[in-house]
């Protein structure tokens, strides 16, 4: 036989996730922290990794790390579960709360992985698009949808702040949502260190609340793959049924323990990202034709004419931003991750050059 039977039908029409990571001088496309872990912490990482028995399986639940995170959040260990990046826990959410005959409520435009996971698990999706001008959640429609038993919504994900649009969700709304349904409500707080807002205070009162977080952004560990959820032990137990037993390897566990113990050392870089974000926003607002959207996170989404051409112009100058110009509900937008101040300057200057060229050519309108 030199043929293989067709793959599962739900794969038809699906495309593998493509981060569109291309070689560049300034990587401003993936919402990473522009600074790597500092040398002192790096030395501690090296030492911790040095002592690991590589021939032994890791602790399946990464209990040392779990304990550190539990303690920092004023919880017991059984309220915490580690994953191979937040991505794994997102997939586990669809496995455990989705499936045929159940429904995922999606709030696009948002992180595209949610919808892909639903499709992979044969979970029907109901979309309630965000409001077109502000990307705010259509709160009344969402509350109505979850309250209608005919929809059979079994889980939803509220991203706060929302990737790629930038703003956090209103906590009052999330609380209303938690009260309106017993569907699982995941609040994706991958970027909460930049927004300074968490649903953690409400965890004990709501068995249906799951908080997702990651080490990939504020803690500079995108290359290591560590994420976690906080949730009621009854919910964590269900996740444990679907998770890959050894998904969090020993090396990643050791690195994440060192980084988490040193988490206060990341605070200045977080503050710097927040202030650079405000500078980027102000400069973009002052650039003709550019309409930036406010952000509580470590990036800025902006709309402009000829966005695809602008993406190419930036890339030709070594600056990689994320092109959403032809993505549904995001037409004409690019997303720039906050980089170092030098990278942000290079980005702003290359973008201004593009705008000036267009203005000179007379083909560029001013934003109203
Ligand atoms: N949630 C959101 C909103 C994200 O943007 C990302 C990363 N792009 C993740 C979760 C997952 O991050 P990771 O797998 O690196 O922890």
């Amino acid at each position: 036989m030199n043929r293989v039977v067709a793959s599962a039908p739900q794969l038809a029409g699906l495309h593998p996730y493509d981060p569109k990571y291309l070689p560049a001088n300034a990587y401003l496309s993936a919402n990473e922290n522009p600074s790597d872990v500092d040398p002192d912490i790096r030395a501690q990482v090296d030492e911790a990794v040095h002592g690991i028995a590589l021939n032994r399986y890791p602790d399946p639940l990464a209990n040392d790390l779990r304990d550190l995170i539990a303690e920092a959040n004023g919880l017991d260990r059984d309220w915490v579960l580690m994953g191979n990046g937040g991505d794994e826990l997102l997939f586990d959410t669809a496995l455990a709360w989705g499936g045929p005959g159940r429904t995922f409520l999606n709030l696009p435009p948002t992180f595209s992985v949610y919808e892909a996971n639903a499709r992979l698990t044969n979970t029907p999706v109901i979309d309630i698009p965000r409001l077109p001008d502000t990307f705010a959640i259509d709160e009344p429609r969402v509350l109505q949808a979850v309250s209608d038993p005919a929809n059979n919504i079994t889980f939803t994900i509220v991203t706060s702040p929302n990737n790629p649009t930038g703003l956090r969700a209103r906590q009052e709304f999330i609380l209303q949502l938690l009260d309106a349904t017993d569907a699982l409500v995941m609040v994706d707080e991958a970027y909460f260190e930049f927004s300074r807002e968490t649903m953690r205070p409400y965890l004990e009162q709501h068995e249906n609340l799951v908080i997702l977080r990651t080490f990939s952004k504020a803690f500079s560990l995108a290359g290591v793959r560590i994420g976690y959820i906080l949730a009621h032990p009854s919910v964590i137990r269900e996740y444990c049924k679907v998770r890959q037993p050894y998904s969090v390897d020993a090396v990643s566990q050791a690195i994440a323990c060192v980084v988490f113990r040193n988490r206060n050392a990341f605070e200045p870089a977080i503050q710097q990202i927040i202030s650079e974000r405000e500078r980027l926003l102000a400069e973009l607002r002052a650039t003709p034709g550019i309409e930036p959207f406010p952000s509580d996170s470590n990036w800025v989404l902006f709309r402009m004419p000829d966005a695809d051409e602008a993406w190419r112009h930036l890339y030709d100058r070594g600056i990689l931003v994320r092109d959403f110009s032809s993505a549904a509900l995001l037409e004409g937008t690019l997303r720039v991750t906050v980089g170092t101040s030098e990278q942000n300057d290079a980005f702003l200057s290359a973008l201004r050059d593009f705008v000036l060229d267009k203005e000179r050519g007379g083909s560029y309108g001013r934003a109203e």
Side-chain angles (χ1 to χ4, degrees):
M1 284 277 186
N2 64 351
R3 288 165 62 90
V4 64
V5 70
S7 64
Q10 69 270 26
L11 270 57
L14 269 187
H15 299 287
Y17 181 76
D18 177 6
K20 305 201 172 74
Y21 221 61
L22 301 167
N25 296 328
Y27 290 99
L28 303 181
S29 71
N31 300 342
E32 297 147 334
N33 192 321
S35 326
D36 203 339
V37 172
D38 81 34
D40 173 45
I41 301 174
R42 189 68 174 232
Q44 296 177 48
V45 162
D46 290 347
E47 205 184 311
V49 169
H50 191 74
I52 293 172
L54 297 179
N55 59 325
R56 302 290 174 206
Y57 282 99
D59 172 356
L61 290 170
N63 280 323
D64 288 348
L65 193 48
R66 239 179 146 192
D67 284 345
L68 284 175
I69 290 167
E71 194 194 343
N73 285 282
L75 295 165
D76 289 332
R77 159 197 291 190
D78 53 354
W79 290 70
V80 182
L81 184 68
M82 307 306 302
N84 186 277
D87 280 346
E88 183 195 17
L89 295 159
L90 288 171
F91 188 59
D92 290 347
T93 306
L95 276 177
W97 265 271
R102 305 164 67 86
T103 305
F104 168 56
L105 174 64
N106 198 26
L107 309 177
T110 189
F111 191 34
S112 61
V113 165
Y114 309 153
E115 191 188 343
N117 288 339
R119 304 240 172 264
L120 283 173
T121 53
N122 284 312
T123 311
V125 179
I126 292 180
D127 277 335
I128 299 190
R130 289 160 183 269
L131 303 178
D133 296 330
T134 57
F135 297 119
I137 294 170
D138 191 341
E139 297 176 0
R141 272 193 71 197
V142 170
L143 293 173
Q144 194 189 16
V146 295
S147 310
D148 183 346
N151 289 330
N152 191 25
I153 291 166
T154 50
F155 74 109
T156 185
I157 304 179
V158 179
T159 320
S160 188
N162 184 49
N163 180 14
T165 58
L167 289 183
R168 46 182 198 245
R170 290 189 326 115
Q171 288 201 324
E172 297 74 13
F173 161 70
I174 299 174
L175 290 170
Q176 282 174 310
L177 180 59
L178 287 162
D179 283 335
T181 179
D182 56 9
L184 188 92
V185 176
M186 171 175 269
V187 179
D188 183 341
E189 294 187 354
Y191 302 93
F192 95 105
E193 290 90 351
F194 306 105
S195 71
R196 304 294 193 200
E197 202 171 273
T198 173
M199 289 301 286
R200 160 66 191 95
Y202 307 101
L203 203 55
E204 284 90 344
Q205 291 126 274
H206 298 280
E207 195 185 7
N208 56 341
L209 171 60
V210 176
I211 296 173
L212 177 73
R213 299 209 186 128
T214 180
F215 280 57
S216 299
K217 313 296 176 182
F219 294 146
S220 300
L221 285 191
V224 172
R225 315 306 303 129
I226 293 276
Y228 64 95
I229 52 172
L230 306 176
H232 266 250
S234 59
V235 171
I236 299 283
R237 278 196 292 277
E238 297 309 297
Y239 273 87
C240 286
K241 295 179 187 173
V242 299
R243 72 182 291 272
Q244 296 290 311
Y246 297 113
S247 61
V248 186
D249 66 85
V251 174
S252 300
Q253 291 187 29
I255 297 173
C257 279
V258 169
V259 163
F260 199 74
R261 282 200 187 95
N262 284 281
R263 63 190 175 282
N264 290 341
F266 289 79
E267 192 54 33
I270 294 170
Q271 287 301 339
Q272 167 77 3
I273 289 169
I274 293 172
S275 83
E276 280 290 306
R277 172 188 78 206
E278 294 309 308
R279 181 171 79 90
L280 268 177
L281 263 168
E283 301 268 0
L284 288 171
R285 275 194 199 107
T287 308
I290 310 285
E291 183 200 352
F293 295 93
S295 171
D296 295 315
S297 196
N298 66 337
W299 71 80
V300 177
L301 183 80
F302 55 98
R303 183 168 273 143
M304 66 185 292
D306 306 315
D308 50 344
E309 249 185 87
W311 182 90
R312 170 52 62 187
H313 173 96
L314 292 167
Y315 186 63
D316 288 344
R317 282 150 190 79
I319 299 161
L320 181 66
V321 300
R322 190 68 190 259
D323 182 4
F324 286 107
S325 60
S326 47
L329 307 172
L330 292 165
E331 289 80 4
T333 65
L334 302 177
R335 186 192 67 194
V336 60
T337 302
V338 180
T340 62
S341 51
E342 295 76 26
Q343 290 172 332
N344 301 334
D345 283 343
F347 157 77
L348 286 167
S349 131
L351 187 70
R352 282 193 201 109
D353 285 349
F354 176 83
V355 170
L356 276 177
D357 279 356
K358 284 280 176 185
E359 277 191 331
R360 276 195 212 103
S363 60
Y364 211 66
R366 283 195 152 255
E368 61 281 2

